[in-house]
Amino acid sequence: MKQGAQGSADTGTPWAAAAAAEPAQPAAPAGSARVPQPAGTVRGEHTHSEPPAPAVPVPPRARPVIQRASVRGQILDALRAALVAGDLRPGEVYSAPVLGERFGVSATPVREAMQQLALEGAVEVVPNRGFRVVERGVRELAELAEVRALIEVPVMLRLARTVPAERWAEMRPLAEATVRAASTGCRATYAESDRGFHRAVLSLSGNEQLVQIAEDLHRRAQWPLVGGGPGLRGRADLVADAHEHTALLDALVARDLEVVRALVGEHFAGVAGAGAGGA
Protein backbone atom coordinates (compact mmCIF):
# COMPACT_ATOMS: atom_id res chain seq x y z
CA MET A 1 0.00 0.00 0.00
CA LYS A 2 2.80 2.42 0.76
CA GLN A 3 4.41 1.74 -2.58
CA GLY A 4 1.09 2.22 -4.40
CA ALA A 5 0.48 5.52 -2.65
CA GLN A 6 3.88 6.76 -3.73
CA GLY A 7 3.20 5.82 -7.35
CA SER A 8 -0.17 7.56 -7.28
CA ALA A 9 1.46 10.73 -5.97
CA ASP A 10 4.11 10.68 -8.71
CA THR A 11 1.52 10.73 -11.50
CA GLY A 12 0.42 14.18 -10.34
CA THR A 13 3.44 15.89 -11.92
CA PRO A 14 3.61 16.53 -15.70
CA TRP A 15 6.79 14.59 -16.20
CA ALA A 16 5.49 11.64 -14.09
CA ALA A 17 2.23 11.51 -16.04
CA ALA A 18 4.13 11.46 -19.32
CA ALA A 19 6.31 8.60 -18.08
CA ALA A 20 3.26 6.59 -16.94
CA ALA A 21 1.54 6.99 -20.31
CA GLU A 22 4.54 5.62 -22.19
CA PRO A 23 5.02 1.84 -22.00
CA ALA A 24 8.31 0.58 -20.71
CA GLN A 25 10.81 -0.48 -23.37
CA PRO A 26 13.18 -3.39 -23.09
CA ALA A 27 16.77 -2.49 -22.48
CA ALA A 28 19.06 -2.54 -25.50
CA PRO A 29 21.53 -5.41 -25.64
CA ALA A 30 24.96 -4.64 -24.33
CA GLY A 31 27.26 -3.16 -26.94
CA SER A 32 24.46 -2.16 -29.31
CA ALA A 33 23.53 1.46 -30.12
CA ARG A 34 19.93 2.52 -29.88
CA VAL A 35 18.67 4.07 -33.13
CA PRO A 36 16.52 7.19 -32.61
CA GLN A 37 13.01 6.82 -34.00
CA PRO A 38 11.44 9.49 -36.22
CA ALA A 39 8.69 11.60 -34.72
CA GLY A 40 5.20 10.19 -35.18
CA THR A 41 6.21 6.51 -35.34
CA VAL A 42 5.27 3.82 -32.90
CA ARG A 43 8.02 2.07 -31.10
CA GLY A 44 8.65 -1.32 -32.61
CA GLU A 45 7.77 -0.28 -36.17
CA HIS A 46 10.31 -1.02 -38.88
CA THR A 47 11.47 2.31 -40.26
CA HIS A 48 14.69 1.23 -41.98
CA SER A 49 13.57 2.78 -45.28
CA GLU A 50 12.55 6.12 -43.75
CA PRO A 51 15.12 8.87 -43.26
CA PRO A 52 15.45 10.31 -39.77
CA ALA A 53 13.48 13.49 -39.12
CA PRO A 54 15.66 16.61 -39.30
CA ALA A 55 16.31 18.42 -36.05
CA VAL A 56 14.32 21.63 -35.74
CA PRO A 57 16.30 24.45 -34.14
CA VAL A 58 14.61 26.04 -31.15
CA PRO A 59 14.80 29.85 -31.27
CA PRO A 60 16.10 31.48 -28.10
CA ARG A 61 13.43 32.83 -25.81
CA ALA A 62 13.21 36.61 -25.94
CA ARG A 63 14.20 38.30 -22.72
CA PRO A 64 11.47 40.30 -21.02
CA VAL A 65 11.80 44.05 -21.35
CA ILE A 66 12.63 45.58 -17.98
CA GLN A 67 11.06 49.01 -17.61
CA ARG A 68 12.29 49.82 -14.12
CA ALA A 69 15.48 51.58 -15.26
CA SER A 70 13.45 53.56 -17.78
CA VAL A 71 11.02 54.70 -15.08
CA ARG A 72 13.89 55.68 -12.79
CA GLY A 73 15.48 57.67 -15.60
CA GLN A 74 12.25 59.49 -16.37
CA ILE A 75 11.74 60.35 -12.71
CA LEU A 76 15.33 61.57 -12.48
CA ASP A 77 14.78 63.88 -15.47
CA ALA A 78 11.52 65.14 -13.96
CA LEU A 79 13.17 65.84 -10.60
CA ARG A 80 16.04 67.69 -12.27
CA ALA A 81 13.55 69.83 -14.18
CA ALA A 82 11.63 70.51 -10.97
CA LEU A 83 14.86 71.63 -9.31
CA VAL A 84 15.69 74.11 -12.08
CA ALA A 85 12.11 75.39 -12.26
CA GLY A 86 12.06 76.01 -8.52
CA ASP A 87 9.30 73.49 -7.80
CA LEU A 88 11.66 71.74 -5.38
CA ARG A 89 12.78 74.56 -3.10
CA PRO A 90 16.13 74.77 -1.30
CA GLY A 91 15.92 73.75 2.36
CA GLU A 92 12.64 71.84 1.94
CA VAL A 93 12.39 68.13 2.74
CA TYR A 94 10.55 65.86 0.29
CA SER A 95 9.62 62.24 0.91
CA ALA A 96 9.78 59.56 -1.76
CA PRO A 97 6.17 58.35 -1.20
CA VAL A 98 4.74 61.87 -1.55
CA LEU A 99 6.73 62.54 -4.71
CA GLY A 100 5.73 59.11 -6.00
CA GLU A 101 2.07 60.06 -5.70
CA ARG A 102 2.83 63.28 -7.54
CA PHE A 103 4.40 61.44 -10.47
CA GLY A 104 2.01 58.48 -10.35
CA VAL A 105 4.67 55.88 -9.53
CA SER A 106 5.78 53.90 -6.50
CA ALA A 107 8.25 55.29 -4.01
CA THR A 108 11.07 52.99 -5.18
CA PRO A 109 12.07 54.72 -8.46
CA VAL A 110 11.70 58.12 -6.76
CA ARG A 111 13.98 57.04 -3.93
CA GLU A 112 16.56 55.70 -6.41
CA ALA A 113 16.44 58.92 -8.43
CA MET A 114 16.81 61.00 -5.28
CA GLN A 115 19.84 58.94 -4.27
CA GLN A 116 21.40 59.81 -7.62
CA LEU A 117 20.69 63.49 -6.98
CA ALA A 118 22.34 63.08 -3.57
CA LEU A 119 25.48 61.76 -5.29
CA GLU A 120 25.39 64.82 -7.55
CA GLY A 121 25.08 67.12 -4.54
CA ALA A 122 21.62 68.46 -5.30
CA VAL A 123 19.93 66.95 -2.23
CA GLU A 124 20.96 65.37 1.04
CA VAL A 125 19.45 62.40 2.85
CA VAL A 126 17.36 63.12 5.96
CA PRO A 127 16.97 59.82 7.87
CA ASN A 128 13.35 58.68 8.31
CA ARG A 129 12.06 61.78 6.51
CA GLY A 130 13.29 61.92 2.94
CA PHE A 131 15.58 64.26 1.06
CA ARG A 132 16.37 67.92 1.63
CA VAL A 133 17.20 70.19 -1.31
CA VAL A 134 20.65 71.66 -0.71
CA GLU A 135 20.78 75.37 0.03
CA ARG A 136 23.22 77.20 -2.24
CA GLY A 137 24.46 80.76 -2.20
CA VAL A 138 25.81 83.23 -4.73
CA ARG A 139 29.39 82.40 -3.77
CA GLU A 140 29.02 78.76 -4.79
CA LEU A 141 27.52 79.81 -8.12
CA ALA A 142 30.43 82.20 -8.71
CA GLU A 143 32.92 79.43 -7.93
CA LEU A 144 31.20 77.13 -10.41
CA ALA A 145 31.35 79.85 -13.07
CA GLU A 146 35.08 80.29 -12.44
CA VAL A 147 35.79 76.58 -12.74
CA ARG A 148 33.72 76.31 -15.90
CA ALA A 149 35.60 79.22 -17.44
CA LEU A 150 38.95 77.61 -16.57
CA ILE A 151 37.87 74.45 -18.38
CA GLU A 152 35.88 75.75 -21.33
CA VAL A 153 37.72 78.93 -22.36
CA PRO A 154 40.98 77.15 -23.37
CA VAL A 155 38.96 74.49 -25.20
CA MET A 156 36.91 77.10 -27.06
CA LEU A 157 40.08 78.94 -28.10
CA ARG A 158 41.65 75.71 -29.39
CA LEU A 159 38.50 74.83 -31.29
CA ALA A 160 38.36 78.32 -32.78
CA ARG A 161 41.81 77.75 -34.30
CA THR A 162 41.19 74.22 -35.59
CA VAL A 163 37.49 73.62 -36.40
CA PRO A 164 36.44 74.62 -39.94
CA ALA A 165 33.57 77.06 -40.49
CA GLU A 166 31.23 74.41 -41.90
CA ARG A 167 31.31 72.50 -38.62
CA TRP A 168 30.26 75.61 -36.74
CA ALA A 169 27.42 76.04 -39.23
CA GLU A 170 26.09 72.68 -38.03
CA MET A 171 25.78 74.16 -34.54
CA ARG A 172 23.59 77.04 -35.70
CA PRO A 173 20.27 75.15 -35.29
CA LEU A 174 21.20 74.32 -31.69
CA ALA A 175 21.97 77.95 -30.93
CA GLU A 176 18.67 79.04 -32.47
CA ALA A 177 16.88 76.36 -30.44
CA THR A 178 18.17 77.93 -27.23
CA VAL A 179 16.66 81.27 -28.28
CA ARG A 180 13.28 79.64 -28.88
CA ALA A 181 13.50 77.81 -25.56
CA ALA A 182 14.37 81.04 -23.76
CA SER A 183 11.42 82.83 -25.34
CA THR A 184 9.06 80.43 -23.53
CA GLY A 185 10.23 81.82 -20.20
CA CYS A 186 10.52 78.30 -18.80
CA ARG A 187 13.83 77.92 -16.98
CA ALA A 188 13.79 74.13 -17.16
CA THR A 189 13.18 74.11 -20.92
CA TYR A 190 15.93 76.63 -21.52
CA ALA A 191 18.35 74.86 -19.17
CA GLU A 192 18.06 71.61 -21.13
CA SER A 193 18.53 73.36 -24.48
CA ASP A 194 21.43 75.38 -23.12
CA ARG A 195 23.25 72.26 -21.92
CA GLY A 196 22.67 70.64 -25.31
CA PHE A 197 24.40 73.50 -27.11
CA HIS A 198 27.44 73.55 -24.81
CA ARG A 199 27.70 69.76 -24.90
CA ALA A 200 27.68 69.73 -28.73
CA VAL A 201 30.37 72.42 -28.94
CA LEU A 202 32.66 70.77 -26.39
CA SER A 203 32.22 67.36 -28.00
CA LEU A 204 34.18 68.69 -30.99
CA SER A 205 37.24 68.46 -28.74
CA GLY A 206 36.99 64.66 -28.85
CA ASN A 207 37.54 64.48 -25.09
CA GLU A 208 34.59 62.62 -23.58
CA GLN A 209 35.88 63.03 -20.02
CA LEU A 210 36.00 66.79 -20.45
CA VAL A 211 32.46 66.80 -21.85
CA GLN A 212 31.15 64.83 -18.87
CA ILE A 213 32.88 67.04 -16.30
CA ALA A 214 31.68 70.21 -17.99
CA GLU A 215 28.15 68.79 -18.16
CA ASP A 216 28.15 68.06 -14.44
CA LEU A 217 29.39 71.57 -13.59
CA HIS A 218 26.85 73.08 -15.96
CA ARG A 219 23.96 71.17 -14.39
CA ARG A 220 25.03 72.21 -10.88
CA ALA A 221 25.19 75.84 -11.99
CA GLN A 222 21.51 75.63 -12.97
CA TRP A 223 20.21 74.66 -9.52
CA PRO A 224 18.25 77.37 -7.70
CA LEU A 225 19.71 79.63 -5.04
CA VAL A 226 18.45 80.24 -1.53
CA GLY A 227 15.59 82.71 -1.72
CA GLY A 228 15.59 82.57 -5.52
CA GLY A 229 12.20 81.41 -6.76
CA PRO A 230 11.38 80.36 -10.29
CA GLY A 231 11.11 83.99 -11.35
CA LEU A 232 14.68 84.93 -10.42
CA ARG A 233 15.69 85.05 -14.07
CA GLY A 234 12.90 86.29 -16.28
CA ARG A 235 12.29 85.72 -19.95
CA ALA A 236 14.34 88.76 -21.00
CA ASP A 237 17.37 87.46 -19.08
CA LEU A 238 17.08 84.04 -20.64
CA VAL A 239 16.70 85.44 -24.17
CA ALA A 240 19.73 87.69 -23.72
CA ASP A 241 21.70 84.71 -22.45
CA ALA A 242 20.61 82.60 -25.45
CA HIS A 243 21.63 85.26 -27.98
CA GLU A 244 25.17 85.02 -26.63
CA HIS A 245 25.29 81.52 -28.16
CA THR A 246 24.75 82.86 -31.67
CA ALA A 247 27.30 85.63 -31.07
CA LEU A 248 29.79 83.01 -29.90
CA LEU A 249 29.26 80.99 -33.08
CA ASP A 250 29.92 84.09 -35.19
CA ALA A 251 33.19 84.68 -33.35
CA LEU A 252 34.19 81.02 -33.73
CA VAL A 253 33.53 81.11 -37.47
CA ALA A 254 35.59 84.31 -37.77
CA ARG A 255 38.32 82.78 -35.55
CA ASP A 256 38.32 85.95 -33.49
CA LEU A 257 40.02 84.60 -30.39
CA GLU A 258 39.69 87.75 -28.32
CA VAL A 259 35.94 87.93 -28.87
CA VAL A 260 35.60 84.22 -28.11
CA ARG A 261 37.50 84.68 -24.85
CA ALA A 262 35.41 87.69 -23.84
CA LEU A 263 32.06 86.12 -24.76
CA VAL A 264 32.67 82.87 -22.87
CA GLY A 265 33.96 84.71 -19.80
CA GLU A 266 31.06 87.17 -19.79
CA HIS A 267 28.61 84.34 -20.43
CA PHE A 268 29.60 82.56 -17.22
CA ALA A 269 30.07 85.73 -15.19
CA GLY A 270 26.63 87.02 -16.17
CA VAL A 271 24.94 83.87 -14.97
CA ALA A 272 26.85 83.93 -11.70
CA GLY A 273 25.64 87.48 -11.07
CA ALA A 274 22.04 87.00 -12.17
CA GLY A 275 21.33 83.61 -10.61
CA ALA A 276 20.73 80.10 -11.85
CA GLY A 277 18.76 79.10 -14.89
CA GLY A 278 21.00 79.20 -17.93
CA ALA A 279 24.46 79.39 -19.47
Side-chain angles (χ1 to χ4, degrees):
M1 292 299 292
K2 184 175 181 181
Q3 181 179 0
Q6 179 66 35
S8 174
D10 287 342
T11 58
T13 60
W15 54 86
E22 182 178 347
Q25 298 298 322
S32 63
R34 184 176 180 179
V35 180
Q37 299 298 324
T41 62
V42 180
R43 294 182 184 273
E45 285 186 338
H46 295 284
T47 57
H48 302 289
S49 61
E50 298 179 10
V56 179
V58 179
R61 179 179 298 179
R63 294 183 178 181
V65 179
I66 305 300
Q67 299 292 340
R68 181 174 177 180
S70 175
V71 172
R72 182 174 63 249
Q74 294 176 29
I75 296 300
L76 179 59
D77 291 341
L79 290 173
R80 284 171 171 167
L83 274 172
V84 176
D87 295 335
L88 298 180
R89 298 184 177 275
E92 296 291 330
V93 178
Y94 299 90
S95 70
V98 171
L99 290 175
E101 293 180 2
R102 172 178 173 179
F103 293 115
V105 298
S106 67
T108 300
V110 176
R111 188 175 294 108
E112 293 172 346
M114 277 294 200
Q115 290 170 348
Q116 175 60 36
L117 290 178
L119 292 176
E120 297 175 3
V123 300
E124 56 187 7
V125 179
V126 181
N128 302 321
R129 294 185 60 192
F131 301 85
R132 177 186 290 111
V133 179
V134 173
E135 298 178 292
R136 305 166 60 246
V138 176
R139 178 176 180 177
E140 181 178 346
L141 191 61
E143 291 174 349
L144 287 170
E146 181 180 3
V147 175
R148 290 184 64 200
L150 290 172
I151 293 176
E152 295 193 32
V153 169
V155 176
M156 293 285 189
L157 294 176
R158 175 165 60 86
L159 294 177
R161 290 189 292 263
T162 57
V163 175
E166 55 269 20
R167 293 300 304 274
W168 295 124
E170 298 173 0
M171 302 292 168
R172 188 74 60 178
L174 292 175
E176 295 171 349
T178 64
V179 176
R180 291 193 299 270
S183 64
T184 66
C186 176
R187 294 171 60 197
T189 301
Y190 175 63
E192 182 177 357
S193 179
D194 181 39
R195 289 197 312 274
F197 172 79
H198 282 262
R199 182 170 56 248
V201 171
L202 293 177
S203 65
L204 295 177
S205 68
N207 189 329
E208 184 59 30
Q209 299 301 317
L210 181 146
V211 173
Q212 292 180 4
I213 292 173
E215 173 88 359
D216 178 65
L217 293 170
H218 195 167
R219 192 186 302 278
R220 291 172 59 188
Q222 294 172 335
W223 296 338
L225 301 177
V226 175
L232 180 61
R233 299 195 76 200
R235 180 179 301 178
D237 295 324
L238 298 181
V239 172
D241 188 83
H243 278 299
E244 292 179 357
H245 295 147
T246 57
L248 175 61
L249 281 182
D250 293 337
L252 289 168
V253 171
R255 295 192 174 183
D256 192 330
L257 302 186
E258 291 303 319
V259 174
V260 170
R261 187 194 308 273
L263 283 174
V264 177
E266 293 172 1
H267 194 56
F268 294 154
V271 173

